Amino acid sequence: METEKKQLNNLQLRLLAGVIGGAVFIGAIYFHEWTFFGLFLALTVLGLLEFYRLLSDKGFQPNRVIGTILGLGLYVLGFLVERGDVGSDWLFLLPPVMLLALVAELYRKKEQPFTNVALTLVGVFYIAAPFTLLHVLAFLPDRYSWQIILGVMFLIWASDTGAYAAGRTLGKNKLFPRISPGKTWEGWVGGVLLSLGVAWILSLYYQDLELEHWLGVAVLVSVFGALGDLVESMLKRSLNVKDSGTLIPGHGGILDRFDSLILVIPFLVAFLELVR
């Protein structure tokens, strides 16, 4: 009885956090480009700190200060470039600034300095770079497009929901048992089908993209969203942790909640830049 009560309380907490988090997300993305900026700025910084904490807890020594500053600078610069506040030539600052991580390691006097630099830059590449690329999706040539960002979020949620429902009811064949024993091919197909259905509905109301573009985005979300989840599971298994953090009640950490989005974004940017 006590176990059932605890499970119920955890489910209620998870649902409450999901509803509140979803409302904050939708509101911030829809309201204004600067609230969108602030939302994903917070996710970038919190995600980087979470990633470096996971590594530090296992004895690695990434430079979390340099990594967070680099990721923050990349994110802000990407937003300003896409918004048209600064020219794209400012992006040439990125390579020399990122190489400062090597210089900084000279003064830390830590063991395995090049491993430390590599792990520091992996955090920037894995977390900050995708959130920075999100600005490419957010800005059309003449304006901010909340439709595309919200649409991507709805498709990710649809893929997760469809995969969960189909996996629970029909799941038999394991998708990737070495990394995530609970995922099945049947669940993945359910996620694809629900995403395609939601993409069709989005095309009726969110006309910043054509139907074929929404359907392409849905397929990419279903494929690379699932792979993003597996990549984050691989990270947690390699570090022997259950969750990446406890920041979001009932949902774990930033990486637990946004693992799909992080891997999906670069593929969506490449797809839409090539076909639009």
Side-chain angles (χ1 to χ4, degrees), residues 28-38 79 83 85 139 143-144:
I29 293 169
Y30 175 80
F31 184 70
H32 198 272
E33 62 199 62
W34 282 105
T35 53
F36 155 79
F37 168 81
F79 177 79
R83 192 170 181 268
D85 294 326
F139 286 95
R143 60 187 169 85
Y144 166 65

Side-chain angles (χ1 to χ4, degrees), residues 242-261:
K242 182 177 183 295
D243 294 314
S244 65
T246 58
L247 183 65
I248 308 172
H251 293 267
I254 297 296
L255 301 183
D256 292 318
R257 196 67 190 91
F258 299 99
D259 49 4
S260 297
L261 179 63

Side-chain angles (χ1 to χ4, degrees), residues 97-132:
V97 170
M98 294 187 74
L99 287 174
L100 288 178
L102 288 166
V103 178
E105 201 64 27
L106 289 172
Y107 299 93
R108 294 182 73 211
K109 300 178 182 178
K110 302 288 186 180
E111 296 181 359
Q112 303 297 325
F114 275 85
T115 300
N116 300 337
V117 171
L119 292 174
T120 300
L121 295 180
V122 164
V124 178
F125 179 77
Y126 177 44
I127 299 163
F131 283 142
T132 300

Side-chain angles (χ1 to χ4, degrees), residues 132-151:
T132 300
L133 285 173
L134 199 60
H135 303 319
V136 179
L137 297 179
F139 286 95
L140 298 175
D142 58 339
R143 60 187 169 85
Y144 166 65
S145 174
W146 57 267
Q147 291 186 6
I148 296 176
I149 304 302
L150 265 187

Side-chain angles (χ1 to χ4, degrees), residues 43-79:
L43 291 180
T44 299
V45 173
L46 292 172
L48 284 167
L49 292 175
E50 184 175 275
F51 178 76
Y52 293 137
R53 178 189 55 77
L54 284 171
L55 295 175
S56 298
D57 287 348
K58 295 301 177 178
F60 297 103
Q61 297 178 314
N63 191 328
R64 66 178 71 191
V65 174
I66 291 293
T68 304
I69 291 173
L70 289 174
L72 180 63
L74 177 63
Y75 178 87
V76 173
L77 183 58
F79 177 79

Side-chain angles (χ1 to χ4, degrees), residues 33-242:
E33 62 199 62
W34 282 105
T35 53
F36 155 79
F37 168 81
L39 172 67
F40 284 97
L41 175 70
L43 291 180
T44 299
V45 173
L46 292 172
L48 284 167
L49 292 175
E50 184 175 275
F51 178 76
Y52 293 137
R53 178 189 55 77
L54 284 171
L55 295 175
S56 298
D57 287 348
K58 295 301 177 178
F60 297 103
Q61 297 178 314
N63 191 328
R64 66 178 71 191
V65 174
I66 291 293
T68 304
I69 291 173
L70 289 174
L72 180 63
L74 177 63
Y75 178 87
V76 173
L77 183 58
F79 177 79
L80 295 176
V81 168
E82 290 300 322
R83 192 170 181 268
D85 294 326
V86 300
S88 59
D89 50 348
W90 280 80
L91 295 174
F92 286 110
L93 283 174
L94 294 177
V97 170
M98 294 187 74
L99 287 174
L100 288 178
L102 288 166
V103 178
E105 201 64 27
L106 289 172
Y107 299 93
R108 294 182 73 211
K109 300 178 182 178
K110 302 288 186 180
E111 296 181 359
Q112 303 297 325
F114 275 85
T115 300
N116 300 337
V117 171
L119 292 174
T120 300
L121 295 180
V122 164
V124 178
F125 179 77
Y126 177 44
I127 299 163
F131 283 142
T132 300
L133 285 173
L134 199 60
H135 303 319
V136 179
L137 297 179
F139 286 95
L140 298 175
D142 58 339
R143 60 187 169 85
Y144 166 65
S145 174
W146 57 267
Q147 291 186 6
I148 296 176
I149 304 302
L150 265 187
V152 169
M153 298 306 304
F154 288 147
L155 289 173
I156 288 175
W157 294 336
S159 179
D160 289 345
T161 302
Y164 178 79
R168 286 292 298 268
T169 56
L170 303 172
K172 293 181 179 179
N173 299 290
K174 301 298 183 183
L175 178 64
F176 214 115
R178 180 171 61 86
I179 298 297
S180 184
K183 295 188 182 301
T184 63
W185 282 104
E186 292 82 1
W188 178 74
V189 171
V192 173
L193 294 176
L194 186 57
S195 292
L196 289 172
V198 170
W200 175 75
I201 295 172
L202 287 172
S203 72
L204 301 177
Y205 300 98
Y206 288 8
Q207 297 181 355
D208 283 350
L209 292 180
E210 302 291 336
L211 171 60
E212 59 269 25
H213 297 153
W214 279 122
L215 293 176
V217 169
V219 171
L220 290 173
V221 162
S222 301
V223 172
F224 292 102
L227 290 172
D229 188 31
L230 290 171
V231 167
E232 200 254 349
S233 295
M234 179 174 63
L235 171 66
K236 291 189 294 186
R237 279 181 173 270
S238 68
L239 297 176
N240 195 29
V241 296
K242 182 177 183 295

